[in-house]
């Protein structure tokens, strides 16, 4: 029998969690190259056998997992994560962001909501405004609506395309196929440069959307969320379903697959979104930077100098005397990680100069 050390145990737990998450999210994944018909292929009420009474505990675990990995992502400062959140109105984008990201250090996260493009934005190529909002390395960025609106609302309402001031030649042929290719290429470029894309489509049914719109009208505290425009968009339900199906068929790639999250139950959508994001972070497997031997020597010298400054009667190292010696590389409590990361880039700390 093989003995498991504490590190092995942690790794085994991580492996176990990784494969469980992979299995859980597999039904949501849009296989690259498959032809999707949303209403036939994805059930908005699916809940993978999860019971509502377990959802709170599951989400709490998911949130803790995200917080831990986000700290590592920030500390490593090599990869960024872009969460692309698409959905029809009232599918629960806002609530999903609020709940799923609730345990994560706000310093490591950026959220941007994309609305109807401004005059300045329309004066640029269509991907410009999205490129401007990409997360940095170490950061999790969330796009609440995204570049995918460019093949959804713009397709369903062609007047949006007119406003984009494209030259005639750019409107000829199959503009949507061209945009899919451009988006895939752009996402490939971003992936090659260290950005991991997590694309979530929150899939709500027409009847559940009706219920939620009525709820907004019925509850005074929620009426501010109601927009007559949402009801008008609802009239184009079938056109949207078709545009979404086509988008999923053409832009789910090996490097940036789509996940269709069943969203008729808000609690399930949150667990599902947290699982897909948690899985992506595990795949990145970010690590806290470790300190090399040369740098360790520099840090040890600085430590000795600080210890020598102890006033009479004080411990040389009050932290160590209180908590004992901590082996190098042992993660303590972490924040977003970025502000407290070790000098993983090899730069000597200021105090050594
Ligand atoms: P909420 O859940 O609060 O209603 P929302 O994302 O629907 O959030 P709104 O301000 O209601 O926000 O709507 C934003 C609108 O902007 C949407 O109708 C969306 O289709 C539209 N929009 C987003 N991107 C584009 C685009 N590139 N071209 C045209 N319209 C766009
Ligand atoms: Mg809206």
């Amino acid at each position: 029998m093989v003995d498991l050390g504490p590190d092995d145990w942690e790794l085994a737990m991580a492996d176990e969690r990784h494969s469980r998450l992979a299995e859980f999210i597999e039904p949501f994944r849009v296989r690259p190259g498959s032809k999707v018909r949303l209403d036939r292929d994805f059930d908005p009420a699916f809940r993978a056998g999860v019971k509502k009474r377990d959802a709170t505990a599951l989400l709490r675990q998911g949130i803790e997992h995200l917080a831990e990995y986000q700290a590592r992502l920030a500390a490593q400062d090599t990869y960024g994560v872009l969460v692309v959140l698409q959905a029809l109105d009232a599918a629960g984008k806002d609530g999903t962001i609020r709940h799923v990201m609730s345990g994560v250090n706000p310093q490591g996260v950026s959220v941007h909501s994309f609305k109807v493009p401004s005059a300045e934005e329309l004066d640029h190529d269509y991907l410009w405004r999205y490129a401007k909002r990409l997360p940095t390395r170490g950061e999790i960025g969330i796009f609440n609506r995204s570049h995918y609106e460019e093949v959804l609302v713009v397709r369903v309402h062609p007047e949006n395309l007119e406003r984009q001031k494209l030259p005639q030649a750019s409107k000829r042929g199959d503009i949507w196929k061209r945009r899919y290719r451009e988006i895939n290429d752009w996402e490939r470029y971003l992936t090659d440069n260290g950005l991991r894309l997590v694309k979530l489509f929150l899939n709500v049914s027409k009847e559940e959307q009706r219920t939620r719109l009525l709820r907004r009208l019925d509850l005074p505290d929620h009426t501010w969320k109601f927009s007559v425009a949402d009801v008008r968009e609802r009239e184009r339900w079938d056109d949207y379903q078709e545009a979404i199906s086509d988008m999923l068929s053409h832009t789910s790639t090996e490097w940036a697959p789509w996940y269709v999250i069943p969203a008729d139950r808000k609690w399930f959508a949150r667990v599902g979104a947290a699982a897909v994001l948690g899985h992506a972070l595990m795949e990145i497997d970010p690590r806290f930077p470790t300190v090399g031997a040369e740098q360790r020597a520099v840090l040890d010298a600085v430590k000795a100098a600080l210890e020598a400054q102890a006033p009479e009667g004080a411990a040389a190292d009050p932290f160590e005397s209180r908590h004992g010696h901590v082996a190098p590389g042992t993660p303590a409590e972490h924040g977003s990680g970025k502000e407290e990361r070790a000098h993983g880039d090899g730069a000597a700390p200021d105090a050594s100069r």
Side-chain angles (χ1 to χ4, degrees), residues 71-296:
R72 291 202 221 164
L73 187 83
Q76 182 178 279
D77 205 19
T78 304
Y79 293 95
V81 174
L82 174 63
V83 180
V84 168
L85 202 51
Q86 282 294 149
L88 292 180
D89 292 300
K93 287 185 279 111
D94 293 348
T96 300
I97 296 172
R98 198 168 58 244
H99 284 85
V100 172
M101 302 312 286
S102 63
V104 164
N105 184 333
Q107 286 207 76
V109 184
S110 68
V111 184
H112 192 75
S113 303
F114 291 97
K115 312 281 181 184
V116 177
S118 68
E120 189 197 13
E121 288 167 346
L122 290 170
D123 244 353
H124 289 268
D125 63 278
Y126 73 94
L127 289 176
W128 179 78
R129 67 174 186 153
Y130 309 99
K132 268 204 334 184
R133 300 289 181 170
L134 290 171
T136 61
R137 297 189 197 285
E139 200 173 45
I140 300 178
I142 300 174
F143 280 2
N144 183 354
R145 299 188 187 270
S146 68
H147 47 295
Y148 284 101
E149 291 293 329
E150 303 293 338
V151 293
L152 294 175
V153 68
V154 178
R155 184 173 189 175
V156 174
H157 297 282
E159 59 274 21
N160 287 304
L161 193 62
E162 283 313 309
R163 277 191 224 112
Q164 294 192 351
K165 306 203 280 187
L166 291 165
Q168 273 313 319
S170 306
K171 288 189 273 187
R172 273 190 222 118
D174 192 337
I175 181 164
W176 310 116
K177 282 249 164 60
R178 199 155 59 235
R179 286 198 168 187
Y180 296 145
R181 175 175 52 77
E182 289 159 355
I183 287 172
N184 288 341
D185 287 348
W186 185 58
E187 292 183 352
R188 173 94 217 204
Y189 160 81
L190 295 175
T191 307
D192 285 347
N193 281 276
L195 200 67
R196 168 88 189 210
L197 279 100
V198 176
K199 304 194 295 198
L200 306 176
F201 179 75
L202 300 188
N203 190 26
V204 79
S205 68
K206 195 173 185 186
E207 179 55 10
E208 179 61 21
Q209 186 198 52
R210 189 176 76 91
T211 309
R212 291 188 192 174
L213 291 175
L214 281 167
R215 180 173 177 270
R216 288 180 182 181
L217 287 172
D218 294 340
L219 294 175
D221 285 357
H222 289 72
T223 306
W224 66 271
K225 275 217 118 194
F226 182 83
S227 148
V228 179
D230 294 352
V231 179
R232 269 204 312 273
E233 288 304 275
R234 180 177 162 79
E235 285 166 14
R236 305 294 301 274
W237 182 270
D238 291 344
D239 298 324
Y240 271 109
Q241 295 293 303
E242 208 174 305
I244 293 161
S245 300
D246 207 38
M247 169 195 86
L248 293 170
S249 306
H250 287 94
T251 61
S252 198
T253 54
E254 294 294 347
W255 56 92
W258 271 107
Y259 289 86
V260 177
I261 310 288
D264 269 9
R265 296 177 171 91
K266 287 180 180 174
W267 56 266
F268 185 81
R270 289 163 193 168
V271 170
V276 177
L277 178 55
H279 178 259
L281 283 163
M282 290 198 94
E283 299 257 286
I284 297 175
D285 193 19
R287 305 288 174 101
F288 287 108
T290 51
V291 176
E294 203 176 309
Q295 212 191 336
R296 187 74 251 165

Side-chain angles (χ1 to χ4, degrees), residues 291-292 294-303 306 341-353:
V291 176
E294 203 176 309
Q295 212 191 336
R296 187 74 251 165
V298 174
L299 295 179
D300 284 346
V302 176
K303 181 171 154 66
L306 280 172
R341 99 188 137 209
H343 296 272
D345 53 6
D350 281 349
S352 69
R353 290 191 195 132

